[in-house]
Structure formats: C-alpha cells, structure tokens
Amino acid sequence: MTRRITLAQIKRNNRQLIYEYIYSRKDKQVLQQDISRTLHMSRPTVASNLAAMEKDGLIFRSGLAEIGQPGRRPVTWSAASDYRIAVGVEILKHSVKIAAVNLYGEAVKCESFHAEYANDDKYYEHISIEVKNFISSLEIDEAYKKILGIGFALQGLVSEDGTSVIYGEILKCTGLKVDVFTRWLDYPCKFVHEPDGAAVSELWVSPELDSGVYLSMSEHLGGALISQRKVINGMHRHSATFEHITACKDGDLCYCGKRGCYETICSKVALLKGDDPDEFFRRVRRGEAGASERWGVFLRHLGRLIAHLHLVIDSKFILGGHLAPYFTDDDIKVLYEYSRERTPFTENDDYILLSKMPSHNITIGAALPYIMRFLENVPDVKP
C-alpha cells in the first residue's frame, strides 16, 4: 500500500531544506529569491518559513545584499550558530576538560581543571558542579533549553546507547552508569569512548574523508575505524582497539594485564615517562641524544603498527591525539620508511595524514553527536 505524505510532513521537509540551505552557506549572502529558485519553492512558502524561523531565533537577518544595482537592497539570511549548544567533557585520571560547542561545531569556550579521578559519588558531584558552573559562565538565556546535551568522553569502551562503561580498566570504572552524572545534571548525558570522540571531530572538519583508521596518541593509545563517514565499533564494541595488539611478548605490563601491548610503547605516557611534552620535543628538535633516541624508537614501533594494520585495512591513517601537534613532515617520512620495510607492496606516500583537528578534538567530538542530531531534524517552529 502506498504511504501518503501528509501536509505536515511536507511543511517539515520544506523547513528542513530551507534551514539546511542557509546553514550550509555560512559567511555567504543568502537571499530569499536564491532559496526559492534553488529549492524550487514558491516565494510565499519561503517567506513564511523565513519569518517563522526568524521569530524563533533559528536564523537572523545578517545584512543587506550587495547587488550592484540601484533600488532597495534585499535582506541576507544566516543561521544562528548559538541557537543551540552542546557540551563535551573529557575525564582523565588527573584532570577534566570541558568545551561548549555551537551549531557549527566551533568551540565557543574551553577550560580545564585538576581533579583526581575517583569512582565515588563525591567525585561525580564535584564534576557535575563544575559543569554547571561552566554552563552558567556561558551567559546564555534559558540554558536548560539551549543545551542539547553533554557527552562525557573517557578512557574506556562504552555501551551502544552510551549509558554505561563496559570496559574501563584505565580508570577502574567498568560497569559505571551515566546516571552518576544525570542525578546532578538536568540535561541528556552520554558516555563516549575517547578515540571515537576524536574520530567524530575529525569527520566534522574533513568532509572529504569517507573511510579510514584514526590513531589517537593521547595519554593512552587508542583507535577508531571509520567507514562511510561512521565510526564502526563492532559486534562487541571493541573494534580498533589496536593498543592491545602484542608488539613484544616480554615487554612492559599493560593496564589490560598482558605484556608488550602497543599501548606500552606508542602512547604519550610510554613516550614521555612523566616529562613535559613541550620540553621533550624541544630536546628532540635540538638533537639531544636521549630524547632523539626515545622518539626514534617510538616512530619505529608506530611505523610497524601502521604497516601491519595497512596490510589488513588498505585505507588512510589519521594521526591524532595529544602527540599529533608535535609531528613534523620529516617524522611522517620516517613512518613511511618503517612502514615500507614490512610490506611487499610499492605504494605512494599518500595514506598517513595528520589530524586536521589536534586541539580539543576529544571534548568537541564528545559534544558533536548532539549537534549532528539537531541538524538532521530541525525542530518545528510556528509560522
């Protein structure tokens, strides 16, 4: 039986198309007549939708068009970037990072503070209060309406619905439920696996990226698989846990209980051993023996990991996380050399890329799913 499209559905679809047209043309002149012509809608239909969305605050009059002709200049329209806000929170062992993200995925405010992780009510109440204070500092009216939700990124695998931690050995929080935060925060909240958040932020700034492997070199090593612009977690939610591939069977003890995992040689913790990253890389670039040797060993192991993964997944590899900003073009060349040593194929140096979003990528990525869902289904506004 053919399903009939209702008038209400047609109106919602028109509104969605008009909003998407305006939103996608950020910093460009958007005129009513352009919308009508491009979307094949009548001028009255476009005009009524523009008026309704303007009244609701979803769009605004951004100026008058420069048309180069005498007479009345037509109004230009823009999407209100702060119509809704999402918040991302990154929970680390010794600190917490928070970011507020607007509808264009831009961080409007970021802050961090020291907080020793503890799996108890006192800690969760403290973090919740800090998040509330952060939201209050944004000075937005009716924050409870403007905040779409809060994503909590942490070093652990999370359930498909984002409500629980299914493997959290780093923080010793396996089984943690998101209600430790929702009992204090009157907003939708979800957990996000750190590398997944970083990969989502990478997809946001890389519209050309369809598939790839994201390697997150932060405090701990992590990864994410990207296919058709989606992060793939697998049937047991542990796809791309490359950090637990054994690199050397008699190596250092990993937090997972095994020895010699890539986590023990290719993470920020393993590389720096407590050193300040800025100072460490200054020593590397000056050619100091100790630091240069450690960095060279790190690159050799990372190149080997990429080579092995590339034999299984012939795709682009994006290097992200806290260490990514310190890589140079020469470092990438070294990775290609080590990778070529372990592959029988002759290939172009075109598959190892640096992240386009090395700063605040995890906190922003934790917030972005709320922004994406909003943009996919713009709310009803009354004409």
Side-chain angles (χ1 to χ4, degrees):
M1 184 173 65
T2 303
R3 185 180 176 184
R4 298 185 63 183
I5 300 175
T6 66
L7 180 60
Q9 289 172 323
I10 293 173
K11 289 181 176 179
R12 280 196 296 272
N13 185 59
N14 287 342
R15 182 186 62 253
Q16 183 75 29
L17 290 173
I18 293 170
Y19 179 77
E20 288 177 356
Y21 183 89
I22 297 171
Y23 175 89
S24 66
R25 284 154 180 76
K26 183 186 179 187
D27 301 326
K28 296 180 180 178
Q29 293 189 20
V30 178
L31 308 179
Q32 178 181 320
Q33 54 265 40
D34 293 337
I35 300 172
S36 178
R37 182 175 59 254
T38 303
L39 301 181
H40 306 291
M41 293 182 191
S42 69
R43 294 286 289 270
T45 295
V46 174
S48 64
N49 275 278
L50 292 176
M53 287 191 285
E54 181 188 23
K55 182 178 180 181
D56 191 61
L58 193 57
I59 62 173
F60 65 97
R61 301 179 186 224
S62 52
L64 298 175
E66 297 292 343
I67 57 175
Q69 297 178 357
R72 187 176 179 181
R73 294 161 60 192
V75 170
T76 60
W77 297 91
S78 296
S81 62
D82 62 349
Y83 180 78
R84 292 290 185 268
I85 299 290
V87 175
V89 181
E90 182 182 0
I91 295 177
L92 300 167
K93 272 189 176 181
H94 309 296
S95 62
V96 173
K97 300 177 181 179
I98 312 178
V101 178
N102 67 19
L103 289 180
Y104 279 103
E106 301 162 334
V108 295
K109 184 174 183 179
C110 298
E111 70 178 38
S112 60
F113 57 91
H114 175 82
E116 293 293 327
Y117 179 80
N119 192 356
D120 57 40
D121 287 343
K122 186 176 180 181
Y123 174 85
Y124 300 122
E125 181 183 11
H126 170 60
I127 301 305
S128 299
I129 291 172
E130 291 290 342
V131 171
K132 283 182 178 179
N133 291 338
F134 176 82
I135 291 173
S136 296
S137 73
L138 300 175
E139 297 182 351
I140 53 179
D141 296 331
E142 297 182 312
Y144 68 96
K145 289 183 179 180
K146 282 221 171 188
I147 303 297
L148 293 169
I150 305 171
F152 288 89
L154 41 71
Q155 299 158 329
L157 303 180
V158 304
S159 61
E160 186 173 1
D161 62 5
T163 62
S164 61
V165 178
I166 61 176
Y167 183 84
E169 280 301 302
I170 294 176
L171 296 178
K172 302 299 180 186
C173 63
T174 300
L176 185 69
K177 303 295 184 183
V178 78
D179 62 8
V180 298
F181 291 112
T182 55
R183 72 182 59 171
W184 310 105
L185 296 167
D186 191 22
Y187 304 102
C189 297
K190 283 192 174 183
F191 287 136
V192 178
H193 185 208
E194 267 199 359
D196 290 356
V200 168
S201 68
E202 193 69 27
L203 284 167
W204 184 268
V205 296
S206 305
E208 77 288 351
L209 180 62
D210 180 74
S211 299
V213 178
Y214 188 94
L215 287 174
S216 179
M217 299 167 294
S218 292
E219 294 296 316
H220 298 274
L221 181 64
L225 281 178
I226 299 168
S227 178
Q228 296 180 340
R229 296 195 58 79
K230 294 184 182 300
V231 176
I232 307 300
N233 295 114
M235 63 184 294
H236 298 115
R237 306 290 296 171
H238 61 67
S239 285
T241 51
F242 312 124
E243 62 270 28
H244 297 300
I245 295 175
T246 302
C248 42
K249 64 179 182 179
D250 298 320
D252 292 341
L253 184 67
C254 178
Y255 64 80
C256 74
K258 311 294 183 183
R259 286 194 174 274
C261 296
Y262 271 102
E263 158 67 23
T264 66
I265 52 179
C266 285
S267 65
K268 179 181 173 183
V269 169
L271 171 67
L272 297 180
K273 303 183 187 304
D275 290 349
D276 176 77
D278 291 338
E279 177 56 31
F280 173 79
F281 281 100
R282 276 195 289 269
R283 300 204 311 269
V284 169
R285 304 312 171 195
R286 286 198 298 262
E288 294 186 16
S292 295
E293 182 180 355
R294 277 161 58 187
W295 183 234
V297 171
F298 180 93
L299 291 176
R300 184 169 68 250
H301 286 304
L302 181 61
R304 183 174 67 176
L305 174 61
I306 292 173
H308 290 164
L309 295 176
H310 195 223
L311 288 171
V312 180
I313 309 169
D314 185 7
S315 185
K316 295 185 184 299
F317 284 74
I318 301 101
L319 306 183
H322 300 160
L323 289 179
Y326 296 101
F327 277 75
T328 65
D329 290 341
D330 287 339
D331 294 331
I332 301 299
K333 290 178 182 177
V334 170
L335 289 179
Y336 278 120
E337 291 173 6
Y338 286 131
S339 182
R340 276 194 292 270
E341 290 176 0
R342 295 179 175 272
T343 178
F345 308 112
T346 301
E347 297 174 316
N348 295 327
D349 293 352
D350 59 358
Y351 60 92
I352 302 176
L353 311 172
L354 281 176
S355 169
K356 292 182 179 180
M357 197 173 192
S359 181
H360 306 298
N361 58 343
I362 294 171
T363 44
I364 291 174
L368 282 175
Y370 290 104
I371 300 295
M372 294 161 73
R373 281 194 290 272
F374 174 87
L375 295 176
E376 289 169 359
N377 189 19
V378 176
D380 289 333
V381 292
K382 295 180 179 180

